């Protein structure tokens, strides 16, 4: 009865979880090999396609939570993402040596956005980008996050942000072919397929729409997946359906709370080992060999 109370109609996180669990995996053992989980991204090498999500305000999870999360990613040889936070926090994050992608909110003031892009460059991040799905509130008004007003951005504005930096520019919150096409036109260098952990009810599960987005992108830029990834099986399914890497948030937060950076490192390593186990049993010797035809819909 307690579990039933937690489920409500339209809960996008529950819908996403059910879709993950509806995807089945066939086995392939002949001509198998030990798998390699290494990822190349923006010209750099990493141990795993499991990345941290673009989280914010983790001080309520543990002291210096955002910095600890980044350090855990560094220890695991993984990409670190950073969401909303002040300049000092980003400086502390990048000081760990973690290769970091900084995501900036769609603030109403474009000059402020350009200042944040410039600061992120100065900090030595590997890429920068924007979280486009925080433009509106759930009541059809412009969103306000921690007292700061947001606005939707046009294709032309996005082109200006892309031109404002020499770094790869990544857009988070893409959940349609139309937005993916506009991102390509704007010249972005990566997209995150995400519904921001249920920012809208009845959202299409990222893995349901992922193959269509991948078809349009045609490997011109990397495609990442966010929302509800809890296991190596989830990671594998996302990669099999066309993602280049995944962002994991809540599944790392418990480990962060219990054991700080080491806990994050251990959890990323565990997810990567689970991924490798499935790769080995489906005939994938590396990430490029993961075959979408191993996925079956229940």
């Amino acid at each position: 009865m307690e579990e039933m109370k937690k489920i409500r109609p339209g809960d996008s996180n529950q819908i996403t979880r059910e879709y993950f669990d509806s995807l089945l995996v066939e086995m392939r053992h002949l001509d198998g090999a030990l798998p390699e989980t290494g990822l190349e991204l923006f010209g750099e090498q990493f141990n795993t396609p499991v990345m941290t999500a673009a989280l914010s305000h983790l001080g309520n999870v543990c002291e210096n939570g955002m910095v600890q999360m980044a350090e855990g990613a560094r220890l695991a040889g993984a990409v670190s993402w950073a969401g909303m936070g002040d300049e000092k926090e980003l400086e502390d994050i990048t000081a760990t040596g973690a290769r970091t992608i900084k995501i900036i909110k769609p603030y109403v003031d474009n000059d402020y956005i350009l200042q944040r892009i410039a600061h992120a460059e100065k900090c030595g991040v590997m890429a920068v980008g924007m979280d486009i799905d925080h433009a509106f509130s759930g009541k059809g008004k412009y969103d306000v996050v921690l007292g700061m007003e947001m606005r939707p951005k046009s294709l032309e504005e996005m082109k200006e942000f892309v031109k404002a930096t020499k770094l790869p520019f990544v857009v988070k919150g893409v959940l349609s072919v139309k937005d993916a096409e506009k991102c390509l036109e704007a010249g972005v260098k990566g997209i995150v397929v995400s519904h921001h952990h249920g920012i809208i009810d009845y959202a299409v599960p990222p893995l349901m729409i992922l193959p269509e987005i991948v078809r349009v992108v045609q490997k011109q830029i990397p495609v990442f997946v966010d929302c509800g990834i809890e296991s190596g099986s989830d990671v594998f399914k996302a990669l099999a359906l066309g993602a280049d890497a995944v962002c994991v948030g809540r599944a790392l937060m418990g480990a962060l709370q219990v054991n700080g950076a080491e806990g994050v490192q251990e959890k990323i390593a565990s997810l990567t080992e689970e991924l490798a186990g499935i790769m080995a049993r489906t005939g994938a010797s590396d990430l490029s060999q993961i075959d979408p035809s191993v996925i079956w819909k229940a």
Side-chain angles (χ1 to χ4, degrees):
M1 291 296 293
E2 187 64 29
E3 286 298 314
M4 291 179 64
K5 292 178 183 178
K6 296 179 182 179
I7 299 173
R8 64 173 178 79
D11 184 340
S12 294
N13 297 315
Q14 181 64 27
I15 293 168
T16 294
R17 181 69 260 158
E18 290 173 356
Y19 193 77
F20 265 117
D21 292 340
S22 75
L23 300 176
L24 310 179
V25 182
E26 70 177 43
M27 293 195 297
R28 299 177 182 177
H29 291 295
L30 295 178
D31 297 317
L34 291 177
E36 295 285 342
T37 61
L39 169 73
E40 180 180 349
L41 181 61
F42 301 139
E44 301 187 39
Q45 298 292 329
F46 299 92
N47 295 340
T48 175
V50 178
M51 311 181 293
T52 72
L55 300 169
S56 306
H57 316 302
L58 293 181
N60 59 344
V61 177
C62 76
E63 187 175 358
N64 297 319
M66 288 296 299
V67 178
Q68 291 290 308
M69 182 71 83
E71 173 66 5
R74 184 192 69 80
L75 292 170
V79 178
S80 164
W81 292 61
M84 196 176 189
D86 61 26
E87 292 186 351
K88 176 61 164 56
E89 183 178 75
L90 183 60
E91 291 162 10
D92 291 344
I93 286 170
T94 54
T96 66
R99 300 302 291 136
T100 301
I101 298 175
K102 171 63 177 178
I103 296 297
I104 298 165
K105 288 280 188 284
Y107 300 105
V108 64
D109 185 349
N110 283 354
D111 287 337
Y112 181 67
I113 292 171
L114 295 174
Q115 291 171 20
R116 299 309 301 266
I117 291 173
H119 177 260
E121 280 189 329
K122 184 178 178 181
C123 288
V125 300
M126 67 182 293
V128 68
M130 180 169 287
D131 183 4
I132 62 171
D133 56 18
H134 248 301
F136 298 103
S137 73
K139 296 181 179 179
K141 308 294 184 181
Y142 293 130
D143 207 357
V144 177
V145 182
L146 297 180
M148 302 193 73
E149 293 185 20
M150 306 291 154
R151 287 293 186 277
K153 301 304 175 184
S154 69
L155 175 59
E156 293 307 312
E157 286 175 303
M158 197 60 65
K159 288 178 179 178
E160 292 303 313
F161 299 141
V162 171
K163 290 177 183 176
T165 178
K166 296 178 181 178
L167 295 172
F169 194 93
V170 179
V171 171
K172 178 178 179 287
V174 175
L175 200 67
S176 67
V177 167
K178 287 187 178 296
D179 275 352
E181 290 172 337
K182 290 179 181 180
C183 284
L184 289 173
E185 185 177 347
V188 308
K189 298 303 181 183
I191 57 175
V192 183
V193 181
S194 170
H195 56 55
H196 206 111
H197 200 67
I199 201 167
I200 183 174
D201 280 355
Y202 296 101
V204 178
L207 262 59
M208 181 181 285
I209 200 167
L210 176 63
E212 287 301 304
I213 290 174
V214 168
R215 179 184 57 80
V216 167
V217 169
Q218 294 184 338
K219 299 188 182 299
Q220 297 175 71
I221 59 174
V223 176
F224 312 120
V225 169
D226 189 28
C227 298
I229 294 173
E230 300 175 354
S231 67
S233 296
D234 292 345
V235 177
F236 179 84
K237 292 172 184 179
L239 299 180
L241 293 176
D244 293 279
V246 302
C247 298
V248 179
R250 283 163 176 76
L252 297 178
M253 289 170 65
L256 174 68
Q257 185 173 42
V258 171
N259 204 23
E262 290 185 8
V264 173
Q265 176 194 17
E266 291 167 358
K267 183 62 176 180
I268 292 175
S270 175
L271 291 170
T272 305
E273 287 175 350
E274 291 174 19
L275 167 65
I278 299 174
M279 290 172 64
R281 289 172 169 161
T282 55
S285 58
D286 60 44
L287 300 184
S288 70
Q289 298 301 310
I290 297 177
D291 187 338
S293 68
V294 304
I295 300 296
W296 291 70
K297 187 73 169 63

